[in-house]
Amino acid sequence: MAEETSSFRDRFRGIPKSIGFIWTFEFMERFSYYGNQAVLTLFLLESLSFDDDTTTAIFHAFKFATYFTPILGAILADSWQGKYRSIIGLSIVYCLGHVMFTMSGLIGRAPYPIPGGIAQAKAPVAMIGLALLSVGIGGRKPCVSSFGGDQFKEGQAKQLGVFFSLFYLAINIGAFLSQLITPVLRNDVQCFGHDCFALAFGVPLVVMTLGTVLFVLGTYSYKKRPAAGNLLVLVTKAMVNAIKNRCNRSKGESRDHWMDYCDTDIYSPRLVGDIKLVLHVMIMFLPLPIYWTLFSQQGSRWTLQAYRMDGDAGALGTIQPDQIQVRRQSDYFKKLIS
């Protein structure tokens, strides 16, 4: 028993103090993101008066944007600003998106504090908020985890493994709690005679703002690596070079693979070989968009279906329709316990 306790402590020994700031920041950001996403569908349906199809389309366009912009965030961090500055800048954009979305929940006819109609003010402000959120959420996504990894020295593989385990745990705890809490705030608190979307969006705003401030407070404890170039950009350039050379090849010239036409005086043979391997592996990922398209229905069609069902769970109370998304985190905790 003593040996097990000692081994447990050893795994945490040597973890940089800066990791506490990064872990907490990620927890608060995930609470913010999933809290906003949980009530988004019903906000589009009830407050903006969109039909089911339009609501679903906007929800999935937002989801797509949050998973596309990580590419742009990674390029920004690796090629220009570095991870730390990119995280700070994109987190500010993130908070501005929350501000716009919270404002959209306060727009309406009297007694709403900000006068305006749905088409003239409420919907445009909400869409601007969604655009800012998608840039902030996705742009910072690839930066934070890798920035956390940068804090460790060589030979700290065990501590690095502990960090990423706790990092993933923080993501799921934040998501789990927010998807329970924000639907309750929306439904159980009445604002201006309706569901309080302003409060449901305002809480994630406050949490993300505090998380960003906390991250900044840890500034002097971080190891900050300068931008050193983005691998995706390098790979893209090498592929373009190979395509150009193949198109301009001599008549009758043939090579085993089209990447073999890449100029190895400019790009290393190892890089060319790695790209060929990646292209082969990518075939395995072709079905993934189908999986994620269905998985993301929890936040759109599942929620819309639950909206029209009786959520009475007897002694457990009433399950809110936007709490149906909690299931994905409950599956994670089952795996964690088992």
mmCIF file of all heavy atoms in Angstrom, residues 37-82:
data_model
loop_
_atom_site.group_PDB
_atom_site.id
_atom_site.type_symbol
_atom_site.label_atom_id
_atom_site.label_comp_id
_atom_site.label_asym_id
_atom_site.label_seq_id
_atom_site.Cartn_x
_atom_site.Cartn_y
_atom_site.Cartn_z
ATOM 1 N N GLN A 37 -23.575 26.057 -25.695
ATOM 2 C CA GLN A 37 -24.093 25.153 -26.715
ATOM 3 C C GLN A 37 -25.350 24.428 -26.250
ATOM 4 O O GLN A 37 -26.253 24.147 -27.043
ATOM 5 C CB GLN A 37 -23.022 24.120 -27.073
ATOM 6 C CG GLN A 37 -23.467 23.111 -28.117
ATOM 7 C CD GLN A 37 -22.423 22.044 -28.354
ATOM 8 O OE1 GLN A 37 -21.487 22.247 -29.097
ATOM 9 N NE2 GLN A 37 -22.574 20.907 -27.704
ATOM 10 N N ALA A 38 -25.424 24.127 -24.943
ATOM 11 C CA ALA A 38 -26.555 23.363 -24.422
ATOM 12 C C ALA A 38 -27.893 24.048 -24.695
ATOM 13 O O ALA A 38 -28.875 23.403 -25.059
ATOM 14 C CB ALA A 38 -26.373 23.125 -22.920
ATOM 15 N N VAL A 39 -27.929 25.379 -24.530
ATOM 16 C CA VAL A 39 -29.192 26.097 -24.675
ATOM 17 C C VAL A 39 -29.336 26.763 -26.039
ATOM 18 O O VAL A 39 -30.333 27.433 -26.313
ATOM 19 C CB VAL A 39 -29.342 27.160 -23.562
ATOM 20 C CG1 VAL A 39 -29.393 26.496 -22.194
ATOM 21 C CG2 VAL A 39 -28.202 28.167 -23.602
ATOM 22 N N LEU A 40 -28.347 26.579 -26.916
ATOM 23 C CA LEU A 40 -28.354 27.257 -28.212
ATOM 24 C C LEU A 40 -29.553 26.865 -29.065
ATOM 25 O O LEU A 40 -30.229 27.725 -29.649
ATOM 26 C CB LEU A 40 -27.055 26.953 -28.970
ATOM 27 C CG LEU A 40 -26.966 27.475 -30.411
ATOM 28 C CD1 LEU A 40 -27.117 28.988 -30.449
ATOM 29 C CD2 LEU A 40 -25.638 27.059 -31.050
ATOM 30 N N THR A 41 -29.835 25.576 -29.146
ATOM 31 C CA THR A 41 -30.924 25.103 -30.007
ATOM 32 C C THR A 41 -32.260 25.696 -29.599
ATOM 33 O O THR A 41 -33.034 26.182 -30.453
ATOM 34 C CB THR A 41 -30.988 23.568 -29.983
ATOM 35 O OG1 THR A 41 -29.796 23.039 -30.582
ATOM 36 C CG2 THR A 41 -32.198 23.045 -30.757
ATOM 37 N N LEU A 42 -32.563 25.676 -28.306
ATOM 38 C CA LEU A 42 -33.848 26.217 -27.846
ATOM 39 C C LEU A 42 -33.891 27.734 -27.974
ATOM 40 O O LEU A 42 -34.960 28.314 -28.179
ATOM 41 C CB LEU A 42 -34.116 25.794 -26.404
ATOM 42 C CG LEU A 42 -34.325 24.295 -26.183
ATOM 43 C CD1 LEU A 42 -34.796 24.022 -24.759
ATOM 44 C CD2 LEU A 42 -35.310 23.713 -27.181
ATOM 45 N N PHE A 43 -32.749 28.390 -27.872
ATOM 46 C CA PHE A 43 -32.703 29.840 -28.091
ATOM 47 C C PHE A 43 -33.072 30.169 -29.539
ATOM 48 O O PHE A 43 -33.859 31.084 -29.802
ATOM 49 C CB PHE A 43 -31.310 30.366 -27.767
ATOM 50 C CG PHE A 43 -31.122 31.837 -28.069
ATOM 51 C CD1 PHE A 43 -31.709 32.809 -27.278
ATOM 52 C CD2 PHE A 43 -30.363 32.233 -29.162
ATOM 53 C CE1 PHE A 43 -31.546 34.156 -27.564
ATOM 54 C CE2 PHE A 43 -30.191 33.577 -29.459
ATOM 55 C CZ PHE A 43 -30.784 34.542 -28.652
ATOM 56 N N LEU A 44 -32.497 29.434 -30.471
ATOM 57 C CA LEU A 44 -32.808 29.656 -31.886
ATOM 58 C C LEU A 44 -34.283 29.372 -32.164
ATOM 59 O O LEU A 44 -34.924 30.073 -32.947
ATOM 60 C CB LEU A 44 -31.933 28.753 -32.760
ATOM 61 C CG LEU A 44 -30.416 29.010 -32.700
ATOM 62 C CD1 LEU A 44 -29.657 27.913 -33.445
ATOM 63 C CD2 LEU A 44 -30.081 30.377 -33.287
ATOM 64 N N LEU A 45 -34.818 28.356 -31.508
ATOM 65 C CA LEU A 45 -36.204 27.956 -31.741
ATOM 66 C C LEU A 45 -37.189 28.909 -31.071
ATOM 67 O O LEU A 45 -38.131 29.396 -31.712
ATOM 68 C CB LEU A 45 -36.418 26.533 -31.220
ATOM 69 C CG LEU A 45 -37.784 25.896 -31.491
ATOM 70 C CD1 LEU A 45 -37.920 25.532 -32.965
ATOM 71 C CD2 LEU A 45 -37.960 24.649 -30.618
ATOM 72 N N GLU A 46 -36.983 29.195 -29.800
ATOM 73 C CA GLU A 46 -37.946 29.973 -29.025
ATOM 74 C C GLU A 46 -37.741 31.479 -29.168
ATOM 75 O O GLU A 46 -38.676 32.223 -29.452
ATOM 76 C CB GLU A 46 -37.852 29.597 -27.542
ATOM 77 C CG GLU A 46 -38.365 28.216 -27.198
ATOM 78 C CD GLU A 46 -38.357 27.979 -25.701
ATOM 79 O OE1 GLU A 46 -37.910 28.877 -24.950
ATOM 80 O OE2 GLU A 46 -38.794 26.898 -25.271
ATOM 81 N N SER A 47 -36.510 31.912 -28.951
ATOM 82 C CA SER A 47 -36.256 33.345 -28.887
ATOM 83 C C SER A 47 -36.125 33.988 -30.268
ATOM 84 O O SER A 47 -36.570 35.121 -30.469
ATOM 85 C CB SER A 47 -34.991 33.608 -28.067
ATOM 86 O OG SER A 47 -34.855 34.962 -27.754
ATOM 87 N N LEU A 48 -35.519 33.271 -31.224
ATOM 88 C CA LEU A 48 -35.348 33.824 -32.570
ATOM 89 C C LEU A 48 -36.422 33.328 -33.539
ATOM 90 O O LEU A 48 -36.430 33.740 -34.705
ATOM 91 C CB LEU A 48 -33.960 33.479 -33.109
ATOM 92 C CG LEU A 48 -32.768 34.037 -32.323
ATOM 93 C CD1 LEU A 48 -31.458 33.757 -33.059
ATOM 94 C CD2 LEU A 48 -32.923 35.523 -32.075
ATOM 95 N N SER A 49 -37.288 32.430 -33.070
ATOM 96 C CA SER A 49 -38.451 31.959 -33.849
ATOM 97 C C SER A 49 -38.067 31.272 -35.158
ATOM 98 O O SER A 49 -38.791 31.348 -36.156
ATOM 99 C CB SER A 49 -39.399 33.137 -34.144
ATOM 100 O OG SER A 49 -39.842 33.731 -32.949
ATOM 101 N N PHE A 50 -36.913 30.585 -35.190
ATOM 102 C CA PHE A 50 -36.554 29.800 -36.364
ATOM 103 C C PHE A 50 -37.308 28.472 -36.331
ATOM 104 O O PHE A 50 -37.650 27.975 -35.259
ATOM 105 C CB PHE A 50 -35.041 29.528 -36.394
ATOM 106 C CG PHE A 50 -34.216 30.742 -36.686
ATOM 107 C CD1 PHE A 50 -33.122 31.069 -35.882
ATOM 108 C CD2 PHE A 50 -34.499 31.567 -37.757
ATOM 109 C CE1 PHE A 50 -32.347 32.181 -36.152
ATOM 110 C CE2 PHE A 50 -33.727 32.694 -38.027
ATOM 111 C CZ PHE A 50 -32.651 33.000 -37.221
ATOM 112 N N ASP A 51 -37.539 27.892 -37.520
ATOM 113 C CA ASP A 51 -38.164 26.577 -37.545
ATOM 114 C C ASP A 51 -37.117 25.500 -37.255
ATOM 115 O O ASP A 51 -35.925 25.784 -37.120
ATOM 116 C CB ASP A 51 -38.862 26.316 -38.885
ATOM 117 C CG ASP A 51 -37.914 26.417 -40.075
ATOM 118 O OD1 ASP A 51 -36.719 26.097 -39.926
ATOM 119 O OD2 ASP A 51 -38.373 26.813 -41.170
ATOM 120 N N ASP A 52 -37.559 24.232 -37.174
ATOM 121 C CA ASP A 52 -36.648 23.144 -36.800
ATOM 122 C C ASP A 52 -35.482 23.001 -37.768
ATOM 123 O O ASP A 52 -34.336 22.804 -37.349
ATOM 124 C CB ASP A 52 -37.424 21.822 -36.748
ATOM 125 C CG ASP A 52 -38.330 21.732 -35.529
ATOM 126 O OD1 ASP A 52 -38.473 22.746 -34.820
ATOM 127 O OD2 ASP A 52 -38.895 20.643 -35.296
ATOM 128 N N ASP A 53 -35.766 23.092 -39.052
ATOM 129 C CA ASP A 53 -34.716 22.885 -40.052
ATOM 130 C C ASP A 53 -33.673 24.000 -40.013
ATOM 131 O O ASP A 53 -32.472 23.739 -40.098
ATOM 132 C CB ASP A 53 -35.324 22.782 -41.459
ATOM 133 C CG ASP A 53 -36.133 21.517 -41.646
ATOM 134 O OD1 ASP A 53 -35.907 20.557 -40.876
ATOM 135 O OD2 ASP A 53 -36.985 21.475 -42.553
ATOM 136 N N THR A 54 -34.144 25.241 -39.889
ATOM 137 C CA THR A 54 -33.210 26.370 -39.819
ATOM 138 C C THR A 54 -32.388 26.308 -38.532
ATOM 139 O O THR A 54 -31.170 26.557 -38.551
ATOM 140 C CB THR A 54 -33.970 27.704 -39.888
ATOM 141 O OG1 THR A 54 -34.761 27.742 -41.074
ATOM 142 C CG2 THR A 54 -33.008 28.876 -39.883
ATOM 143 N N THR A 55 -33.040 25.958 -37.439
ATOM 144 C CA THR A 55 -32.337 25.802 -36.159
ATOM 145 C C THR A 55 -31.240 24.754 -36.266
ATOM 146 O O THR A 55 -30.099 24.969 -35.828
ATOM 147 C CB THR A 55 -33.339 25.408 -35.054
ATOM 148 O OG1 THR A 55 -34.256 26.489 -34.837
ATOM 149 C CG2 THR A 55 -32.617 25.095 -33.759
ATOM 150 N N THR A 56 -31.583 23.622 -36.862
ATOM 151 C CA THR A 56 -30.608 22.540 -37.024
ATOM 152 C C THR A 56 -29.453 22.975 -37.913
ATOM 153 O O THR A 56 -28.277 22.703 -37.620
ATOM 154 C CB THR A 56 -31.282 21.295 -37.628
ATOM 155 O OG1 THR A 56 -32.352 20.872 -36.762
ATOM 156 C CG2 THR A 56 -30.293 20.153 -37.802
ATOM 157 N N ALA A 57 -29.762 23.665 -39.003
ATOM 158 C CA ALA A 57 -28.719 24.113 -39.933
ATOM 159 C C ALA A 57 -27.756 25.082 -39.260
ATOM 160 O O ALA A 57 -26.531 24.978 -39.416
ATOM 161 C CB ALA A 57 -29.356 24.755 -41.158
ATOM 162 N N ILE A 58 -28.290 26.039 -38.492
ATOM 163 C CA ILE A 58 -27.435 27.025 -37.821
ATOM 164 C C ILE A 58 -26.582 26.344 -36.755
ATOM 165 O O ILE A 58 -25.382 26.623 -36.618
ATOM 166 C CB ILE A 58 -28.283 28.144 -37.197
ATOM 167 C CG1 ILE A 58 -28.962 28.965 -38.301
ATOM 168 C CG2 ILE A 58 -27.436 29.044 -36.307
ATOM 169 C CD1 ILE A 58 -29.930 29.999 -37.784
ATOM 170 N N PHE A 59 -27.186 25.425 -36.000
ATOM 171 C CA PHE A 59 -26.453 24.718 -34.951
ATOM 172 C C PHE A 59 -25.255 23.962 -35.540
ATOM 173 O O PHE A 59 -24.136 24.039 -35.022
ATOM 174 C CB PHE A 59 -27.383 23.747 -34.225
ATOM 175 C CG PHE A 59 -26.700 22.929 -33.151
ATOM 176 C CD1 PHE A 59 -26.566 23.418 -31.868
ATOM 177 C CD2 PHE A 59 -26.184 21.661 -33.441
ATOM 178 C CE1 PHE A 59 -25.933 22.673 -30.881
ATOM 179 C CE2 PHE A 59 -25.549 20.918 -32.467
ATOM 180 C CZ PHE A 59 -25.426 21.420 -31.184
ATOM 181 N N HIS A 60 -25.488 23.242 -36.632
ATOM 182 C CA HIS A 60 -24.410 22.436 -37.205
ATOM 183 C C HIS A 60 -23.398 23.289 -37.968
ATOM 184 O O HIS A 60 -22.225 22.922 -38.053
ATOM 185 C CB HIS A 60 -24.993 21.342 -38.093
ATOM 186 C CG HIS A 60 -25.667 20.251 -37.308
ATOM 187 N ND1 HIS A 60 -24.954 19.328 -36.583
ATOM 188 C CD2 HIS A 60 -26.982 19.963 -37.112
ATOM 189 C CE1 HIS A 60 -25.803 18.513 -35.966
ATOM 190 N NE2 HIS A 60 -27.035 18.876 -36.277
ATOM 191 N N ALA A 61 -23.829 24.418 -38.510
ATOM 192 C CA ALA A 61 -22.870 25.347 -39.117
ATOM 193 C C ALA A 61 -21.927 25.891 -38.051
ATOM 194 O O ALA A 61 -20.712 26.030 -38.277
ATOM 195 C CB ALA A 61 -23.607 26.492 -39.805
ATOM 196 N N PHE A 62 -22.475 26.189 -36.880
ATOM 197 C CA PHE A 62 -21.664 26.643 -35.750
ATOM 198 C C PHE A 62 -20.683 25.563 -35.311
ATOM 199 O O PHE A 62 -19.492 25.821 -35.094
ATOM 200 C CB PHE A 62 -22.588 27.041 -34.595
ATOM 201 C CG PHE A 62 -21.871 27.333 -33.306
ATOM 202 C CD1 PHE A 62 -20.999 28.401 -33.198
ATOM 203 C CD2 PHE A 62 -22.090 26.541 -32.189
ATOM 204 C CE1 PHE A 62 -20.343 28.673 -32.003
ATOM 205 C CE2 PHE A 62 -21.436 26.808 -30.996
ATOM 206 C CZ PHE A 62 -20.565 27.872 -30.901
ATOM 207 N N LYS A 63 -21.161 24.317 -35.215
ATOM 208 C CA LYS A 63 -20.301 23.204 -34.831
ATOM 209 C C LYS A 63 -19.183 23.010 -35.853
ATOM 210 O O LYS A 63 -18.028 22.773 -35.490
ATOM 211 C CB LYS A 63 -21.123 21.924 -34.703
ATOM 212 C CG LYS A 63 -22.063 21.888 -33.519
ATOM 213 C CD LYS A 63 -21.327 21.604 -32.222
ATOM 214 C CE LYS A 63 -20.895 20.165 -32.131
ATOM 215 N NZ LYS A 63 -20.281 19.843 -30.824
ATOM 216 N N PHE A 64 -19.546 23.092 -37.135
ATOM 217 C CA PHE A 64 -18.540 22.941 -38.184
ATOM 218 C C PHE A 64 -17.464 24.014 -38.055
ATOM 219 O O PHE A 64 -16.264 23.731 -38.160
ATOM 220 C CB PHE A 64 -19.196 23.025 -39.566
ATOM 221 C CG PHE A 64 -18.200 23.133 -40.694
ATOM 222 C CD1 PHE A 64 -17.540 22.019 -41.171
ATOM 223 C CD2 PHE A 64 -17.911 24.371 -41.265
ATOM 224 C CE1 PHE A 64 -16.609 22.123 -42.198
ATOM 225 C CE2 PHE A 64 -16.989 24.488 -42.286
ATOM 226 C CZ PHE A 64 -16.331 23.356 -42.759
ATOM 227 N N ALA A 65 -17.897 25.243 -37.815
ATOM 228 C CA ALA A 65 -16.946 26.348 -37.714
ATOM 229 C C ALA A 65 -15.994 26.163 -36.535
ATOM 230 O O ALA A 65 -14.797 26.458 -36.639
ATOM 231 C CB ALA A 65 -17.692 27.676 -37.585
ATOM 232 N N THR A 66 -16.521 25.654 -35.414
ATOM 233 C CA THR A 66 -15.662 25.475 -34.236
ATOM 234 C C THR A 66 -14.635 24.369 -34.446
ATOM 235 O O THR A 66 -13.614 24.329 -33.744
ATOM 236 C CB THR A 66 -16.491 25.146 -32.980
ATOM 237 O OG1 THR A 66 -17.236 23.939 -33.188
ATOM 238 C CG2 THR A 66 -17.434 26.283 -32.635
ATOM 239 N N TYR A 67 -14.881 23.465 -35.397
ATOM 240 C CA TYR A 67 -13.919 22.402 -35.663
ATOM 241 C C TYR A 67 -13.099 22.653 -36.930
ATOM 242 O O TYR A 67 -12.201 21.863 -37.250
ATOM 243 C CB TYR A 67 -14.622 21.045 -35.752
ATOM 244 C CG TYR A 67 -15.002 20.524 -34.384
ATOM 245 C CD1 TYR A 67 -16.274 20.731 -33.869
ATOM 246 C CD2 TYR A 67 -14.064 19.861 -33.596
ATOM 247 C CE1 TYR A 67 -16.616 20.283 -32.604
ATOM 248 C CE2 TYR A 67 -14.394 19.405 -32.333
ATOM 249 C CZ TYR A 67 -15.670 19.615 -31.840
ATOM 250 O OH TYR A 67 -15.995 19.178 -30.575
ATOM 251 N N PHE A 68 -13.393 23.723 -37.635
ATOM 252 C CA PHE A 68 -12.576 24.108 -38.785
ATOM 253 C C PHE A 68 -11.550 25.171 -38.383
ATOM 254 O O PHE A 68 -10.401 25.136 -38.828
ATOM 255 C CB PHE A 68 -13.457 24.638 -39.918
ATOM 256 C CG PHE A 68 -12.671 25.129 -41.102
ATOM 257 C CD1 PHE A 68 -12.139 24.229 -42.013
ATOM 258 C CD2 PHE A 68 -12.443 26.485 -41.298
ATOM 259 C CE1 PHE A 68 -11.389 24.668 -43.101
ATOM 260 C CE2 PHE A 68 -11.696 26.944 -42.377
ATOM 261 C CZ PHE A 68 -11.173 26.025 -43.287
ATOM 262 N N THR A 69 -11.976 26.105 -37.552
ATOM 263 C CA THR A 69 -11.085 27.199 -37.160
ATOM 264 C C THR A 69 -9.853 26.759 -36.362
ATOM 265 O O THR A 69 -8.891 27.534 -36.289
ATOM 266 C CB THR A 69 -11.854 28.273 -36.365
ATOM 267 O OG1 THR A 69 -12.627 27.641 -35.325
ATOM 268 C CG2 THR A 69 -12.791 29.052 -37.269
ATOM 269 N N PRO A 70 -9.819 25.558 -35.734
ATOM 270 C CA PRO A 70 -8.550 25.132 -35.128
ATOM 271 C C PRO A 70 -7.385 25.109 -36.118
ATOM 272 O O PRO A 70 -6.234 25.346 -35.725
ATOM 273 C CB PRO A 70 -8.862 23.719 -34.610
ATOM 274 C CG PRO A 70 -10.297 23.776 -34.258
ATOM 275 C CD PRO A 70 -10.914 24.645 -35.327
ATOM 276 N N ILE A 71 -7.663 24.845 -37.384
ATOM 277 C CA ILE A 71 -6.603 24.874 -38.401
ATOM 278 C C ILE A 71 -6.016 26.281 -38.488
ATOM 279 O O ILE A 71 -4.791 26.467 -38.517
ATOM 280 C CB ILE A 71 -7.156 24.436 -39.770
ATOM 281 C CG1 ILE A 71 -7.672 22.995 -39.697
ATOM 282 C CG2 ILE A 71 -6.097 24.572 -40.856
ATOM 283 C CD1 ILE A 71 -8.357 22.530 -40.966
ATOM 284 N N LEU A 72 -6.905 27.273 -38.502
ATOM 285 C CA LEU A 72 -6.450 28.667 -38.586
ATOM 286 C C LEU A 72 -5.729 29.088 -37.308
ATOM 287 O O LEU A 72 -4.724 29.805 -37.354
ATOM 288 C CB LEU A 72 -7.649 29.589 -38.845
ATOM 289 C CG LEU A 72 -8.512 29.248 -40.074
ATOM 290 C CD1 LEU A 72 -9.667 30.228 -40.190
ATOM 291 C CD2 LEU A 72 -7.669 29.247 -41.326
ATOM 292 N N GLY A 73 -6.246 28.626 -36.159
ATOM 293 C CA GLY A 73 -5.605 28.952 -34.890
ATOM 294 C C GLY A 73 -4.206 28.370 -34.781
ATOM 295 O O GLY A 73 -3.282 29.018 -34.276
ATOM 296 N N ALA A 74 -4.045 27.145 -35.283
ATOM 297 C CA ALA A 74 -2.730 26.511 -35.239
ATOM 298 C C ALA A 74 -1.735 27.239 -36.138
ATOM 299 O O ALA A 74 -0.574 27.441 -35.761
ATOM 300 C CB ALA A 74 -2.854 25.045 -35.676
ATOM 301 N N ILE A 75 -2.186 27.647 -37.319
ATOM 302 C CA ILE A 75 -1.311 28.388 -38.230
ATOM 303 C C ILE A 75 -0.922 29.743 -37.627
ATOM 304 O O ILE A 75 0.240 30.159 -37.688
ATOM 305 C CB ILE A 75 -2.000 28.590 -39.592
ATOM 306 C CG1 ILE A 75 -2.195 27.232 -40.292
ATOM 307 C CG2 ILE A 75 -1.199 29.537 -40.487
ATOM 308 C CD1 ILE A 75 -3.020 27.314 -41.565
ATOM 309 N N LEU A 76 -1.898 30.412 -37.013
ATOM 310 C CA LEU A 76 -1.628 31.702 -36.367
ATOM 311 C C LEU A 76 -0.581 31.554 -35.276
ATOM 312 O O LEU A 76 0.360 32.350 -35.178
ATOM 313 C CB LEU A 76 -2.927 32.260 -35.784
ATOM 314 C CG LEU A 76 -2.812 33.550 -34.961
ATOM 315 C CD1 LEU A 76 -2.440 34.715 -35.858
ATOM 316 C CD2 LEU A 76 -4.119 33.834 -34.219
ATOM 317 N N ALA A 77 -0.735 30.509 -34.443
ATOM 318 C CA ALA A 77 0.178 30.318 -33.318
ATOM 319 C C ALA A 77 1.561 29.878 -33.777
ATOM 320 O O ALA A 77 2.576 30.388 -33.284
ATOM 321 C CB ALA A 77 -0.404 29.279 -32.359
ATOM 322 N N ASP A 78 1.618 28.947 -34.721
ATOM 323 C CA ASP A 78 2.902 28.381 -35.123
ATOM 324 C C ASP A 78 3.701 29.294 -36.049
ATOM 325 O O ASP A 78 4.937 29.258 -36.054
ATOM 326 C CB ASP A 78 2.693 27.032 -35.820
ATOM 327 C CG ASP A 78 2.184 25.955 -34.875
ATOM 328 O OD1 ASP A 78 2.360 26.125 -33.657
ATOM 329 O OD2 ASP A 78 1.618 24.962 -35.349
ATOM 330 N N SER A 79 3.009 30.088 -36.839
ATOM 331 C CA SER A 79 3.695 30.873 -37.863
ATOM 332 C C SER A 79 3.914 32.334 -37.484
ATOM 333 O O SER A 79 4.828 32.969 -38.021
ATOM 334 C CB SER A 79 2.911 30.806 -39.183
ATOM 335 O OG SER A 79 2.783 29.473 -39.638
ATOM 336 N N TRP A 80 3.086 32.885 -36.594
ATOM 337 C CA TRP A 80 3.179 34.324 -36.321
ATOM 338 C C TRP A 80 3.236 34.683 -34.840
ATOM 339 O O TRP A 80 4.229 35.215 -34.365
ATOM 340 C CB TRP A 80 2.016 35.072 -36.983
ATOM 341 C CG TRP A 80 2.091 35.104 -38.467
ATOM 342 C CD1 TRP A 80 3.033 35.745 -39.228
ATOM 343 C CD2 TRP A 80 1.228 34.436 -39.382
ATOM 344 N NE1 TRP A 80 2.799 35.528 -40.556
ATOM 345 C CE2 TRP A 80 1.685 34.738 -40.691
ATOM 346 C CE3 TRP A 80 0.106 33.625 -39.242
ATOM 347 C CZ2 TRP A 80 1.069 34.252 -41.822
ATOM 348 C CZ3 TRP A 80 -0.519 33.137 -40.364
ATOM 349 C CH2 TRP A 80 -0.043 33.444 -41.641
ATOM 350 N N GLN A 81 2.157 34.393 -34.116
ATOM 351 C CA GLN A 81 2.007 34.965 -32.790
ATOM 352 C C GLN A 81 2.569 34.111 -31.654
ATOM 353 O O GLN A 81 2.809 34.626 -30.567
ATOM 354 C CB GLN A 81 0.510 35.237 -32.514
ATOM 355 C CG GLN A 81 -0.105 36.279 -33.420
ATOM 356 C CD GLN A 81 0.534 37.645 -33.241
ATOM 357 O OE1 GLN A 81 0.728 38.099 -32.118
ATOM 358 N NE2 GLN A 81 0.873 38.297 -34.341
ATOM 359 N N GLY A 82 2.770 32.838 -31.894
ATOM 360 C CA GLY A 82 3.136 31.951 -30.788
ATOM 361 C C GLY A 82 1.890 31.527 -30.026
ATOM 362 O O GLY A 82 0.837 32.183 -30.103
#
